[in-house]
Amino acid sequence: MKRKNAWEKYNENERKEIFRFCEDYRKFISECKTERECVEALTAKAEANGYRNLNDVITSGEKLQAGDKVYAVNMKKMLALFHIGTEAFENGMNILGGHIDSPRLDLKQNPLYESDSLALLETHYYGGVKKYQWVARPMALHGIVVKKDGTSINVSIGEKDDEPVVGVSDLLIHLAAKQMDKKGARVVEGEDRNILIGSIPLEGEETEPVKANILKILKEKYDMEEADFQSAELEAVPAGPARDYGLDSSMIIGYGQDDRICAFTSLFAMLEAENLKKTGVCLLVDKEEIGSVGATGMQSHFFENTVAEMLLKMGIDSFVQTRLTMSRSKMLSSDVSAGVDPLFVNVNDKKNAAYLGNGIVFNKYTGSRGKGGCNDANPEFIAWLRNVMDENDVAYQTAELGKVDQGGGGTIAYILAQYNMEVIDCGVALQNMHAPWEV
Ligand code: MN
Ligand code: MN
């Protein structure tokens, strides 16, 4: 069966509306390049649209009721929004989920050193990357430094026109005979991706004068000591804004679209939803790229605890009801899909592949080697979704991630499915997934 290109169904006004929405998205991914930056920006949008912090509701002692909009933030890196419907909350929620972490280079805890009269920062990569893609390009440093007294400094260097950028060097082709013989995974080794950040020696300094000069700059600019790197979370990400892509500007090239493209669209779907019967939820999580682990990943109990707290504010003090509320829910677990690329068509089964422009992609399953590790959505749920999509004239397609045994990948879907709720993977088709600039 063949699907229509979704562009063909839009009139001129609708196309204008699409470009307006995508321009907001382009600005969002240009400005928000870490989990924390996403949570901060999206929380502000939610507040501007009438969402209140659940903690404030708890402090005030008021009860929650139908129509109320609240949000909860976990450790500044995970966000859950609730729009309470007219139906009983314990009848289950309609959940939109996505992740806001993206592959990058994280600074090590003792990163700064001097070698051959240059100052560098040691890094450890985060998420699955082709290491050779992350060299010889402008990078920015984003993150936070927390000092011993608990105060914190937000860091962002390399995004504004008048700010310097940093980066990881690559070997010149003239001397790369041995390097070019290496396998792709080893062309650039993980341990070698250190960031060059300075070359001017501090006057009068005998030992490591270039490093000393960098420390002087950090002290002046951020009131930061070398030891403060220990309690910092600094991420090196591709510098500069996302851009329109293609002569027709039909695409966007930018960093971190996996999975901020689903986070942004899910959040706006929430903000625009009105007169909800079932409670609507938007759940944006951290740590998906490294297995959904940790307190801010999907495997954390934060979401379940928040649902319990919501029930409590509605007069239901019961973990049994919490579990049942979870199990009666439905979820679109949104994450990006691999769009068919004419340069690499042999990795896809074209009949079951995602195409740019053909609408939201539903993946009944993801996983690898015989669906290993995936959530396999139920046909009853898919049939219900097909009906919702068709009734509302939403363009969609179905796909899987590449040919059988070509590779594979996982998402947060299986974790929510453990609550016995209906879950399906869906999302937007990308090219260059996990490259510094995704399309
Ligand atoms: Mn993803
Ligand atoms: Mn990913």
Side-chain angles (χ1 to χ4, degrees), residues 307-309 311-312 315-325:
V307 169
E309 208 151 25
L311 280 166
L312 198 57
I316 301 169
D317 182 0
S318 161
F319 257 101
V320 174
Q321 285 299 334
T322 303
R323 287 295 180 88
L324 290 173
T325 303

Side-chain angles (χ1 to χ4, degrees), residues 389-409:
M389 291 291 155
D390 290 342
E391 293 269 295
N392 294 281
D393 192 26
V394 181
Y396 73 94
Q397 52 186 323
T398 60
E400 58 181 88
L401 188 64
K403 273 183 185 165
V404 176
D405 286 341
Q406 191 70 44

Side-chain angles (χ1 to χ4, degrees), residues 134-402:
W134 292 73
V135 297
R137 61 174 54 254
M139 302 280 282
L141 291 174
H142 288 236
I144 186 170
V145 181
V146 185
K147 303 182 54 117
K148 273 202 288 187
D149 65 2
T151 56
S152 59
I153 310 151
N154 284 320
V155 174
S156 171
I157 313 167
E159 299 294 351
K160 298 196 184 92
D161 284 344
D162 60 352
E163 283 175 351
V165 293
V166 293
V168 181
S169 60
D170 195 4
L171 185 58
L172 60 165
I173 184 69
H174 315 70
L175 301 179
K178 268 192 192 154
Q179 185 195 32
M180 299 312 285
D181 281 340
K182 287 185 183 175
K183 282 190 170 171
R186 303 242 162 250
V187 168
V188 173
E189 305 271 356
E191 194 58 49
D192 294 342
R193 284 181 307 168
N194 295 334
I195 292 168
L196 178 58
I197 52 155
S199 65
I200 301 179
L202 184 67
E203 228 180 282
E205 184 71 39
E206 295 278 308
T207 51
E208 301 193 315
V210 180
K211 176 181 164 180
N213 194 45
I214 290 296
L215 284 171
K216 183 169 166 270
I217 293 168
L218 289 174
K219 180 75 187 165
E220 283 165 6
K221 203 167 156 105
Y222 296 109
D223 190 26
M224 177 185 168
E225 318 282 343
E226 184 175 12
D228 291 332
F229 276 116
Q230 293 172 101
S231 49
E233 206 162 75
L234 295 168
E235 309 178 5
V237 297
R243 307 282 299 267
D244 284 359
Y245 196 65
L247 277 189
D248 56 5
S249 296
S250 59
M251 297 163 276
I252 285 175
I253 185 164
Y255 166 67
Q257 304 206 62
D258 174 6
D259 182 35
R260 294 177 188 137
I261 193 166
C262 295
F264 186 84
T265 44
S266 294
L267 184 104
F268 272 83
M270 267 300 275
L271 299 186
E272 288 177 9
E274 281 170 2
N275 307 318
L276 298 184
K277 285 195 195 106
K278 291 250 184 202
T279 293
V281 176
C282 178
L283 179 59
L284 304 177
V285 299
D286 177 28
K287 299 282 180 284
E288 191 277 341
E289 295 294 357
I290 57 168
S292 298
V293 289
T296 53
M298 193 62 250
Q299 297 191 44
S300 154
H301 287 191
F302 166 73
F303 181 57
E304 184 183 345
N305 290 348
T306 305
V307 169
E309 208 151 25
M310 297 279 296
L311 280 166
L312 198 57
K313 296 313 288 177
M314 291 180 247
I316 301 169
D317 182 0
S318 161
F319 257 101
V320 174
Q321 285 299 334
T322 303
R323 287 295 180 88
L324 290 173
T325 303
M326 298 289 271
S327 74
R328 291 170 188 142
S329 298
K330 293 186 173 75
M331 182 187 197
L332 297 184
S333 171
S334 311
D335 209 338
V336 292
S337 253
V340 168
D341 183 340
L343 305 186
F344 301 100
V345 274
N346 56 340
V347 301
N348 295 114
D349 160 19
K350 282 189 159 190
K351 296 182 294 305
N352 290 286
Y355 288 82
L356 269 59
N358 279 12
I360 185 170
V361 186
F362 285 102
N363 306 100
K364 184 175 188 299
Y365 46 85
T366 57
S368 53
R369 294 174 301 280
K371 302 188 179 181
C374 82
N375 166 68
D376 202 345
N378 293 316
E380 290 85 352
F381 182 42
I382 300 174
W384 179 82
L385 276 171
R386 282 175 59 204
N387 192 44
V388 170
M389 291 291 155
D390 290 342
E391 293 269 295
N392 294 281
D393 192 26
V394 181
Y396 73 94
Q397 52 186 323
T398 60
E400 58 181 88
L401 188 64

